[in-house]
Amino acid sequence: MILLTLTFVVAMLLSIYGVPIARLAALKFGIVDNPDGRLKHQREPVPYLGGLAIYLAFLVSLAFTFEFRQDVLGIVLSGTLIVMLGLIDDFGVLSPGTKLAGQFLAVFVLIKSGIRIEIASLPDWVDIVLTVFWMIGIINAFNLLDIMDGLSAGVGVISAAFLCVVAILNGDQAIAFMLAALMGSLLGFLRYNWRPASIYMGDSGAMFIGLMLGALSMIGKYTTGHSVSLLTPVLILGMPIFDTLFVMYIRFLRGLPVFLGSPDHLAIRLRHWGLSVTQVVLLSYLGAALLGGIGLLVMAVPQDLAVVLSGVTVLCLAVAAVALTRVNVSTGTVAVSTEAVPARSTERTGVV
């Protein structure tokens, strides 16, 4: 436990030290998010490269405190590929198709390293299909969630914390150490990403969070008690999953491409409900924590009660979704300091 805590602290300190350096580098080379008057309303350009600082703090902290093994190296290599892909996309030179192909490549590296879903009752090819679907979904879920100062990083910290509890309960040190490093690097970044953000993580950071949490949640042990526990990682990562499904549903109803920038996110609709940016972010943190807690309960309670808990949770989320669809986002301008990829694929609005 001492070494685990040390990993967390080292990652946080490295991130606190590295993020300002990444910010200066982004400003020097013009790697910034400029206001566009449509979805980006920040007062001045905000630098990217926060994701690179997160990645380096994560990697170096593990190098200092933990011995890499094959599966860890596979996750690190896949994470490196996704960070490089995100950095290129932050320059706005990748089409959505090319970006998706790069994500598939990163997932292929995971599968080749033995990092995949393994359900005993299913054939291998089904496990692989589920792995690809899960990983691509979670990577893009955190990227889509990254539309407000502190939102994606903070939800990432909370999700990682609950997954770390699962890993500790299961005695899986490799997963626990990687999650501790991720939490530390994200918390260090949040110091500079809290409203008003002085730096954005960009695609490189958002997709890296998604890949790490998707991979580490995928290989955890959940079904020692009953099969309903398979829902635990889904619940722990429920906030970005819910936001993504909600956005996809709304954009389908409106006849819009899923990756087109538009004010369909939960966070933006909550802003139209009259909440401040800080209130929206804190409410999202609360939602992530509640879903994570329910995920842990589903593992701990008998199967019948786990089914009831899961059903009630889905019902509550459905009610929330219906209520949010009635929020009018077609009038007025709502300032939400955000950071995703350029408007050709997802949103990035800002503070006015």
Side-chain angles (χ1 to χ4, degrees), residues 114-296:
I115 309 298
R116 64 185 181 91
I117 292 173
E118 293 184 2
I119 301 177
S121 59
L122 297 177
D124 284 347
W125 70 267
V126 176
D127 287 341
I128 292 175
V129 170
L130 289 175
T131 297
V132 173
F133 180 80
W134 172 257
M135 289 304 307
I136 296 298
I138 297 300
I139 289 170
N140 286 290
F142 272 94
N143 201 22
L144 285 170
L145 186 68
D146 193 23
I147 52 111
M148 191 171 287
D149 292 348
L151 182 57
S152 187
V155 171
V157 171
I158 294 169
S159 300
F162 280 101
L163 290 174
C164 191
V165 171
V166 174
I168 292 171
L169 292 175
N170 290 330
D172 197 324
Q173 289 190 355
I175 295 178
F177 270 83
M178 297 184 80
L179 288 166
L182 183 63
M183 282 190 289
S185 60
L186 289 176
L187 273 178
F189 171 75
L190 268 174
R191 177 181 177 184
Y192 307 97
N193 188 237
W194 192 255
R195 173 179 169 86
S198 61
I199 187 171
Y200 292 159
M201 69 170 68
D203 262 19
S204 58
M207 292 198 299
F208 177 71
I209 297 172
L211 182 134
M212 296 306 302
L213 291 178
L216 294 172
S217 64
M218 183 173 63
I219 60 176
K221 300 182 183 71
Y222 306 99
T223 57
T224 53
H226 49 77
S227 58
V228 182
S229 297
L230 284 172
L231 293 176
T232 292
V234 178
L235 289 165
I236 290 176
L237 298 175
M239 181 58 68
I241 292 173
F242 179 51
D243 181 64
T244 299
L245 293 176
F246 180 80
V247 169
M248 292 175 65
Y249 172 68
I250 293 297
R251 291 180 183 173
F252 172 77
L253 291 180
R254 297 175 61 190
L256 297 173
V258 173
F259 293 106
L260 177 69
S262 60
D264 297 315
H265 290 273
L266 302 176
I268 297 177
R269 286 174 178 266
L270 288 173
R271 287 287 285 123
H272 278 276
W273 238 348
L275 299 182
S276 69
V277 171
T278 300
Q279 288 172 333
V280 170
V281 172
L282 292 177
L283 183 61
S284 299
Y285 289 177
L286 177 61
L290 287 174
L291 288 171
I294 293 171
L296 291 181

Side-chain angles (χ1 to χ4, degrees), residues 15 23 55 105 123 145 190 300 307 328:
S15 183
R23 183 178 184 275
Y55 164 74
L105 176 61
L145 186 68
L190 268 174
V307 171
N328 184 4

Side-chain angles (χ1 to χ4, degrees), residues 30-101:
I31 309 173
V32 297
D33 185 35
N34 293 297
D36 65 1
R38 188 176 74 89
L39 287 172
K40 307 176 186 182
H41 300 284
Q42 62 266 35
R43 292 190 181 94
E44 58 186 20
V46 178
Y48 289 137
L49 292 189
L52 182 60
I54 292 170
Y55 164 74
L56 291 175
F58 167 85
L59 188 61
V60 174
S61 64
L62 283 180
F64 276 129
T65 60
F66 188 72
E67 183 178 350
F68 288 174
R69 65 190 197 194
Q70 181 179 347
D71 54 350
V72 174
L73 288 173
I75 295 176
V76 169
L77 176 57
S78 182
T80 302
L81 289 174
I82 211 72
V83 168
M84 296 301 105
L85 177 71
L87 285 174
I88 295 171
D89 194 52
D90 284 335
F91 286 97
V93 297
L94 292 182
S95 67
T98 304
K99 181 177 168 183
L100 184 61

